[in-house]
Amino acid sequence: MDIVFSPDQLKHQPGQELSDGAFMPAVEIPRRAEIILSAVQEAQIGEVFAPGPLSEPLLTRVHSAAYLTFQSTFWQRWSQELGREHEALPLCWPVRHFRRDQQPKDIDGQLSYFSFDAGTPLGPHTWQAALSSAATAESGAKRLTAGHTSAFSLCRPPGHHAAPDIYGGYCFINNAAIAAEALLASGAQRITILDVDYHHGNGTQAIYYGRQDVQFISIHADPAEEFPHFLGYGDEIGEGAGEGYNLNLPLQLGTAWPDFADAMSTATQAIKRFAPDSLIISLGLDSFEKDPISKFKLKTADFVALGAKIAAVKTPTLFVLEGGYAVDDLGTNCANVLTGFLQEH
Ligand code: Q9C
Ligand code: ZN
């Protein structure tokens, strides 16, 4: 299995995030990617390749023009117009009675307009790293198009919380959607994105909610109890042409492998009915028992079983890295998923 990774992804170096009502050290840090890179090399999963440049049209198929303008010019405006050198967080959102049809002109207003949480710092090289992460997803997709039966896009920063015009949850560009669009642009008819990150993939759901060419399935902590709090319930089934192509499988806090495995069986049956040309796994490793911000109970050995369950779908598969913050165990857990997949493949 080829592995795609770009060192430019390490340039996003958030210092602090707002979490639990206080500034805390950021958990979505470059070390995550470094530890996974060495573990997958150690486990001899495959050869590591750098991605080519991101294809611009893919970006505009996933994100709005206004959002891309905001992100690509943000740091210049923040630092030169406002003279701010510290990383940026939004402060005020258009909830309930506010209007959201007016895009503010000022930078702080726009920061809020294009975000949904205060846990996702924007720094001087955040956008460059996000573009590299998206390029890493595209290069992985190209391997499936070229006939490989699997690939691993070691993406960082992650992507599944990013919607067409909103960043948040440590995500800026929806990497799984970039990969899906790359596959569709190369002739695929149907793609499934199966999101096994502990958190609901609200951004990916938003992108594909009205579409029937991309099936979205997410296994995650019940949003009534966990971030992102406002999406990810079981009654969200898609709308219009997309009705029936969105499947949420929320699980209670404390879920261990047996119940997670049952949800995986439900997911794989739905995938087989849809019969996609390719499968994209939004691979979050934050379902791990020692994850510092999560409350599921998967053990290191369970990740081998997770990889085997994914292989049982018997469809060309691209793994796209999402969350996972227990840095010391992250490499082993990631290598275990890929090893479990390759053993059954
Ligand atoms: N006190 C991903 O896993 N913060 N994003 C939660 C905890 C947001 C996770 C606050 C977690 C975002 C890609
Ligand atoms: Zn997560």
Side-chain angles (χ1 to χ4, degrees):
M1 179 187 312
D2 283 359
I3 298 158
V4 188
F5 173 78
S6 163
D8 283 350
Q9 296 180 118
L10 305 175
K11 293 180 180 175
H12 171 54
Q13 298 177 351
Q16 293 194 303
E17 61 175 85
L18 199 51
S19 179
D20 305 343
F23 275 110
M24 305 279 214
V27 297
E28 201 294 286
I29 50 175
R31 180 101 189 100
R32 297 178 60 243
E34 290 170 341
I35 212 135
I36 289 174
L37 183 63
S38 37
V40 293
Q41 287 178 292
E42 179 100 345
Q44 301 188 319
I45 299 298
E47 212 180 317
V48 181
F49 298 87
L54 177 66
S55 134
E56 198 67 36
L58 287 181
L59 207 48
T60 55
R61 283 172 72 142
V62 173
H63 293 286
S64 74
Y67 177 74
L68 294 171
T69 299
F70 166 76
Q71 285 288 10
S72 60
T73 58
F74 174 75
W75 191 260
Q76 166 103 358
R77 295 172 67 202
W78 181 256
S79 60
Q80 295 189 3
E81 284 175 35
L82 300 180
R84 296 178 184 166
E85 278 159 24
H86 52 278
E87 55 194 19
L89 291 177
L91 201 56
C92 164
W93 288 280
V95 299
R96 290 184 277 283
H97 66 279
F98 280 105
R99 288 181 65 168
R100 58 191 78 172
D101 59 323
Q102 294 291 331
Q103 180 182 314
K105 290 201 174 71
D106 71 298
I107 300 175
D108 287 300
Q110 289 189 359
L111 202 51
S112 291
Y113 184 78
F114 290 113
S115 68
F116 76 90
D117 81 348
T120 310
L122 291 181
H125 309 296
T126 298
W127 189 240
Q128 188 195 356
L131 288 168
S132 299
S133 191
T136 295
E138 180 190 0
S139 287
K142 278 187 173 158
R143 281 165 166 81
L144 296 199
T145 300
H148 297 217
T149 53
S150 63
F152 174 41
S153 291
L154 205 176
C155 293
R156 184 267 160 191
H160 75 149
H161 294 301
D165 58 355
I166 306 172
Y167 75 93
Y170 317 148
C171 302
F172 309 94
I173 297 175
N174 195 305
N175 301 314
I178 292 284
E181 294 304 320
L183 291 163
L184 292 168
S186 302
Q189 301 293 310
R190 282 184 313 283
I191 303 295
T192 295
I193 300 175
L194 170 60
D195 189 324
V196 299
D197 187 282
Y198 171 78
H199 305 95
H200 176 246
N202 61 287
T204 316
Q205 173 169 313
I207 292 165
Y208 293 113
Y209 209 59
R211 282 171 54 173
Q212 55 188 335
D213 54 344
V214 178
Q215 179 189 43
F216 179 64
I217 306 177
S218 184
I219 301 172
H220 51 268
D222 188 341
E225 307 280 0
E226 186 52 278
F227 183 95
H229 306 297
F230 306 106
L231 208 66
Y233 289 90
D235 63 354
E236 298 158 14
I237 60 168
E239 68 186 6
E243 195 174 316
Y245 298 93
N246 194 89
L247 176 60
N248 283 329
L249 300 168
L251 300 173
Q252 59 186 349
L253 303 187
T255 289
W257 175 245
D259 290 331
F260 199 103
D262 283 349
M264 278 297 294
S265 300
T266 305
T268 54
Q269 282 163 23
I271 298 168
K272 284 180 180 165
R273 281 196 296 274
F274 182 66
D277 299 305
S278 296
L279 173 61
I280 297 169
I281 304 295
S282 266
L283 181 60
L285 300 159
D286 36 13
S287 53
F288 182 50
E289 57 178 344
K290 292 181 199 155
D291 192 275
I293 65 167
S294 309
K295 290 169 179 151
F296 279 178
K297 298 272 174 248
L298 268 64
K299 296 181 181 299
T300 287
D302 297 331
F303 288 98
V304 181
L306 176 60
K309 281 233 166 226
I310 293 165
V313 181
K314 301 215 177 304
T315 299
T317 301
L318 173 65
F319 293 89
V320 173
L321 185 65
E322 301 284 359
Y325 309 99
V327 174
D328 291 344
D329 301 276
L330 207 50
T332 307
N333 291 345
C334 186
N336 277 2
V337 173
L338 303 177
T339 302
F341 177 89
L342 289 170
Q343 281 168 356
E344 290 299 313
H345 201 55

